Each structure stands twice: as structure tokens, then as C-alpha cells.
Amino acid sequence: MTSKRALVTGITGQDGSYLSEYLLENGYEVHGIIRRTSTFNTDRIDHIYEDPHNQTARLFLHYGDLTDGTTLRRILEEVQPVEIYNLGAQSHVRVSFDSPEYTVDAVGMGTLRLLEAIRDYQYRTGIQVRFYQAGSSEMFGKVVEVPQKETTPFYPRSPYACAKVYAHWQTINYRESYGLFACNGILFNHESPRRGQTFVTRKITHALARIVAGQQKKLYLGNLDAKRDWGYAKDYVKAMWLILQQDEPDDYVIATGETHSIREFLDIAFGYVNLDWQDYVKFDERYLRPAEVDLLIGDPAKARQKLGWEPSIDFRGLVHLMVEADLKALGLLPLARNLAIEDIATVRLAATAQ
Ligand code: NAP
Ligand code: GDD
């Protein structure tokens, strides 16, 4: 048994999978909380999972849910982690308008349940647990300051963002009231080939690959004018870990410091395969939100200075990385880049026939 033992909620998500990889690479034993589902949903972590009967296994999964406090307590007692990363969430902003009560229960109350369990566990055992809360730039919402930093006031604009603000302040409250080593990361949007397909970046790159493959003709999107500070998820999970390695618990903005619109994302993505996105993208109002967050741009100065954290990839590099991954998944790389769309289809057909 290693003393470096971490518990991760949301381990099946984009960030949970990258964080687990990172922790395993760094000698941790990793425990993740998964929800029971009728079909397997562990695709993102299957490559690092090993039969727990093997002596070499260092990744363990436990059934639980942030809406179920008793189970959270039981898992904490069983696992006895020294670091906890609370990444579990109903994380889709648009969906949070459809399911506000559930979203707030999982995101807001879920964090409180975990903090309460840690508080009691720490009091009883004397073991200090380090806690990371996955905060969001959505908390800045209708921004009152540009760029946004740790001291910028919040103005949340969705049930999801309101719940994240609640979780943020509870994390600070438990730090100040009970001396927990509890930290907030305020992470701006971060993407990757593992991003869920209903978030706009992956929706675009996934659809683009299907368009190139002749499997889809149109892509329906909502507001193309919103601007986001988009980074690479793999860089952002490293920041989570760094936040918990500091001498003192604190809160940090993690961002690239650049902002781009959905249109710019479309330009670069479709430009990669020499297509004009305006020929394919159509508007559908169902993807609009009752209240929109128009502009997000973070100031990562504190993270740079105190954590020594830097993003490793720029916006264009990120878009290309995601486009390439989706093209590759459909067997369209390296063919796609320099060919006209008709030629790609022909070459692919020939390749499949061989
Ligand atoms: P994600 O891909 O949507 O993953 C969310 C994870 O939470 C999944 O493992 C999901 O499990 C789990 N989950 C959902 N409801 C749960 C519940 N009631 N109890 C326990 N687990 C639950 O999200 P992500 O992009 O990795 O983001 C990770 C965290 O960072 C989230 O808290 C998100 O709100 C926050 N965040 C994300 C970004 C970003 O740009 N990605 C930026 C700022 C903050 P299933 O697989 O079973 O659904
Ligand atoms: N999802 C989606 N689908 N968004 C669209 C679409 C569409 O078809 N068309 C336009 N958009 C716009 C949204 O209106 C929003 O302004 C922007 O694209 C980004 O939407 P998402 O990719 O869904 O991300 P988000 O910014 O709302 O939320 C993500 O980032 C937050 C951090 O700022 C999520 O990962 C949150 O969990 C995270 O906290």
C-alpha cells in the first residue's frame, strides 16, 4: 500500500481520466467513484484499468454518487485517501436549465456532503486530507472585469454556475472554519479528444470528421458569437495536482489568457480540411441558453507565479489536435489534410476495399 492515495469523483469524465493517468504516472494509488449505469461508461479509463486481483493494480473503482452522502462516507473510510479531487458534476450548462434541481444537488450539495464527510473523518483520525474543488469560469458569468482573476466578483448565469459558486464558497468556508486543506481551482474551458460530444468544441470536430467521411451533411449549432478561453485538458489536470502540493491551501484561476469565438474555432477546424464551415453549419435555437455567458478570458498570473504552471499548447494547436483525433478515429488521417473532400471519400473507399 502506498501512502500516496487519491480519491477522484468524476473519474469517468474527461478530466477524471487525464488526472488518473497523471496520478498513476506519479506513483499514486488511485480510487475513483463511478455510478452504476446500464451500459459501460468507463471508455475513458479502460486503458489504465487493471483487474484488482492483480498485485500490480493501482486503480480501484467504487460505486457511489455525489447525491448519496452515506456512500461517500463509507468510501472515504475504506480508501483513506490523502488527496481528494472533486470532479464529479452534471457539467453541461445548457442541460442545467432543463434539470436544475438535480444539477444543484450533485454540484452544490454533493460538494457539501463530501466536505462534511472529510471534516468528520479528519476530526476522528487526525489524518489531514487535501481537497480539490473543480470550480469553473462559468461562475464569472456576466463578467464584471476583463480578464477574470481570483478576486473578480462572480455573476453566475445558470443553475450549474450558481451551484458551482455555492461549492466554491463552502470550500473556503470549510478551510476557514475547520482548517481543512481545501482549495478551489477556477478552471476556464478545457478540451481534448476526450471531451464529451455535446460540448461545442467536440461537437464541431466530431461532426467535421463525419462530414468528411460522408456520414453527416449538416451541423446544427446555437450562438456562434460567444467567446471562451479554451485550453488543453491534459495541462489543466496537472494544475489541479500542483494546487494540492503547495504549502498552504489557496484558490487559483487556470486559463490560457486568450479568448476566441465559436466562429474562430469553426474557421480553424474546417480550414484544416480546406472546407468552408458556412456551407455546413446551420442555426438551431434549441442550443441557445436562457441566459448566455458572452465572454470569458482568464488571467493565469497567480498560477504561473506560484505553481509554475503554463499551458503547453496554443488555440490553433488545440483545434488541430482535436480535429486530427476525430479524423483518425474514422480512418481519415493522414489522408484528409491535403485532399479535396470528394478525393478523400474515394481514397478511403479504396483503402477499405483492400
Ligand atoms: P465531464 O466529462 O462531464 O465528467 C463529469 C463526471 O462527473 C463524470 O465522470 C460523471 O459520471 C460524473 N458525475 C456526474 N454526476 C455525478 C453524480 N451525481 N455523482 C458522481 N459523479 C457524477 O466533466 P469534465 O469536463 O471532466 O469536468 C470535470 C469537472 O470540472 C466538473 O466538475 C466540471 O463541472 C468542472 N469543470 C470543467 C471544465 C471544462 O471545461 N471541462 C471547466 C471548469 C470546470 P458519468 O460518466 O457516470 O456521467
Ligand atoms: N454545447 C453547445 N452546443 N454549445 C454551443 C452550441 C451547441 O450546439 N452552439 C453554440 N454554443 C455555445 C454555447 O452557447 C456557449 O456559449 C459556448 O458555445 C460553449 O458551450 P459549451 O461547449 O457547452 O461549454 P460551456 O462554456 O457552456 O461550459 C463548459 O465550460 C465551463 C467552464 O467555463 C463546461 O465544461 C462547464 O462544465 C465548465 O464549467
Side-chain angles (χ1 to χ4, degrees):
M1 243 185 170
T2 170
S3 58
K4 294 209 291 189
R5 202 172 313 116
L7 177 64
V8 181
T9 73
I11 195 166
T12 53
Q14 170 189 252
D15 291 5
S17 66
Y18 283 119
L19 177 66
S20 300
E21 274 173 14
Y22 185 77
L23 293 173
L24 290 169
E25 279 161 20
N26 284 279
Y28 280 74
E29 181 178 297
V30 178
H31 293 255
I33 298 183
I34 58 165
R35 303 190 291 171
R36 192 268 159 181
T37 48
S38 65
T39 53
F40 288 119
N41 71 340
T42 51
D43 309 19
R44 292 184 179 108
I45 52 170
D46 283 346
H47 62 292
I48 49 174
Y49 187 73
E50 202 180 327
D51 185 333
H53 300 99
N54 294 353
Q55 291 291 324
T56 48
R58 284 193 294 124
L59 172 63
F60 303 93
L61 301 177
H62 308 259
Y63 283 112
D65 196 301
L66 285 161
T67 59
D68 176 359
T70 321
T71 309
L72 294 176
R73 282 173 179 271
R74 194 180 307 124
I75 294 172
L76 194 60
E77 292 290 338
E78 264 173 42
V79 172
Q80 303 195 353
V82 292
E83 292 175 14
I84 299 182
Y85 296 85
N86 184 29
L87 312 184
Q90 190 303 92
S91 72
H92 202 283
V93 174
R94 175 68 190 80
V95 172
S96 80
F97 287 98
D98 301 327
S99 287
E101 279 187 39
Y102 172 69
T103 302
V104 172
D105 193 9
V107 173
M109 287 300 293
T111 305
L112 179 63
R113 289 183 188 105
L114 205 46
L115 285 166
E116 271 290 274
I118 296 169
R119 172 192 166 199
D120 291 347
Y121 173 76
Q122 192 162 294
Y123 179 75
R124 203 177 52 70
T125 62
I127 299 171
Q128 195 176 53
V129 176
R130 297 187 170 213
F131 176 78
Y132 173 85
Q133 166 57 19
S136 165
S137 52
E138 276 290 301
M139 300 189 294
F140 296 121
K142 191 170 179 180
V143 298
V144 298
E145 185 178 25
V146 176
Q148 295 87 54
K149 47 184 184 279
E150 291 78 4
T151 51
T152 302
F154 297 138
Y155 191 147
R157 303 206 85 200
S158 63
Y160 166 81
C162 291
K164 283 286 184 189
V165 171
Y166 174 82
H168 175 93
W169 281 109
Q170 282 295 19
T171 300
I172 293 174
N173 182 37
Y174 274 64
R175 178 164 83 212
E176 294 178 354
S177 303
Y178 308 115
L180 293 195
F181 194 105
C183 309
N184 290 293
I186 307 174
L187 273 55
F188 283 63
N189 297 50
H190 44 279
E191 318 294 313
S192 74
R194 294 187 200 166
R195 184 60 142 153
Q197 289 170 10
T198 60
F199 297 97
V200 76
T201 54
R202 185 74 201 292
K203 184 170 169 181
I204 292 169
T205 60
H206 182 246
L208 174 59
R210 285 174 52 81
I211 287 168
V212 173
Q215 296 171 1
Q216 184 171 334
K217 293 206 177 326
K218 298 289 174 205
L219 166 61
Y220 290 91
L221 295 175
N223 174 21
L224 304 185
D225 296 321
K227 294 179 119 185
R228 291 290 182 273
D229 180 329
W230 277 299
Y232 180 30
K234 219 170 170 175
D235 292 337
Y236 285 49
V237 301
K238 189 171 173 202
M240 296 175 189
W241 177 79
L242 283 169
I243 288 171
L244 291 198
Q245 310 314 308
Q246 303 308 300
D247 291 339
E248 297 297 327
D250 205 348
D251 309 319
Y252 296 87
V253 158
I254 305 296
T256 69
E258 274 186 37
T259 193
H260 298 276
S261 66
I262 320 293
R263 285 175 201 281
E264 289 174 78
F265 193 102
L266 285 163
D267 279 338
I268 297 177
F270 278 71
Y272 184 96
V273 285
N274 301 319
L275 294 180
D276 181 349
W277 61 265
Q278 308 207 45
D279 295 336
Y280 301 90
V281 173
K282 298 282 170 215
F283 173 70
D284 186 336
E285 66 178 7
R286 92 173 72 169
Y287 299 117
L288 298 178
R289 285 120 198 242
E292 176 63 289
V293 170
D294 297 316
L295 165 71
L296 291 173
I297 174 166
D299 175 0
K302 180 174 169 183
R304 193 179 293 132
Q305 194 203 333
K306 295 203 165 172
L307 307 177
W309 179 85
E310 291 286 346
S312 71
I313 189 167
D314 66 4
F315 177 62
R316 178 173 291 272
L318 174 66
V319 181
H320 283 180
L321 180 94
M322 293 179 69
V323 170
E324 283 171 3
D326 275 316
L327 289 172
K328 193 170 172 199
L330 292 187
L332 293 166
L333 209 70
L335 307 177
R337 190 149 198 190
N338 300 316
L339 291 175
I341 196 161
E342 304 78 24
D343 299 334
I344 292 168
T346 315
V347 176
R348 188 157 181 271
L349 271 180
T352 322
Q354 279 167 14

